[in-house]
Amino acid sequence: MLEVKNLYSGYDGRDILKDISFKVKNGENLCIVGPNGCGKSTLLKSIANLLEHRGSVIIDGKEVSSMNKKSFARKIGLMSQITQIYFPYTIYDTVSLGRYAYSKGALSKLSKEDDRIILESIEKVGLLDIKDKMITELSGGQIQRVFLARVFAQDPDIILLDEPTNHLDLKNQIDLLENLKEWISLNNKIVVGVLHDLNLVQYFADNVLMLKDGQIVAYGNPQTVLNDPILDDLYGIDIKGFMTEILKKWE
């Protein structure tokens, strides 16, 4: 289980998140929604122990700040927004970095089991036929899938995803979410993801956490949260009405 208790976090001494508390059970996927600047990415970075915070982030009864790097890497994998590629690795080499948590030393070679997991992870995201291609030659959507495969290869208990469907066409968005659903179901794992597309949230989420100005304003199943009147106030638009009008155009 992932438990966040009374979390405060931010930048340059200013709190972006204020008194955030929630729990996510194994086998559950939680989507975080809210307008730009409400603290969604800050929340993921705080859970991933990349930002100093007050309060607690607890996994299976242990505070994340007390874990060493390898233990932490077996618990949490973060796929953040990718804006630039700095190293000319192949797809295979990039995904193999996910096996760091299981290596016996900095110079240790990949085992047969590592190789199997890496190839399976690449196959999951549909890139096995180009596994030896340099990632500097890939499209934005392909790069997104490479970094998702690296998280799969890491095989953590919890995957944190910051807008994972960015740069992906509709088919690959659905494929990615289906892969995540299968990973959660088969392995009894947890996914916490930031998604902007509320249709995808309806499709994917078991529960939804809605943020406004760094605070939780709604939490529950998608049907409840996304029908809450606060949604329209939050985004400044009649979202359900807009979606319904769009749907009519398909008839």
Side-chain angles (χ1 to χ4, degrees), residues 123-135:
E123 186 174 23
K124 272 183 184 177
V125 300
L127 297 175
L128 190 59
D129 58 329
I130 57 168
K131 65 180 176 62
D132 297 317
K133 194 169 185 177
M134 308 299 287
I135 62 171

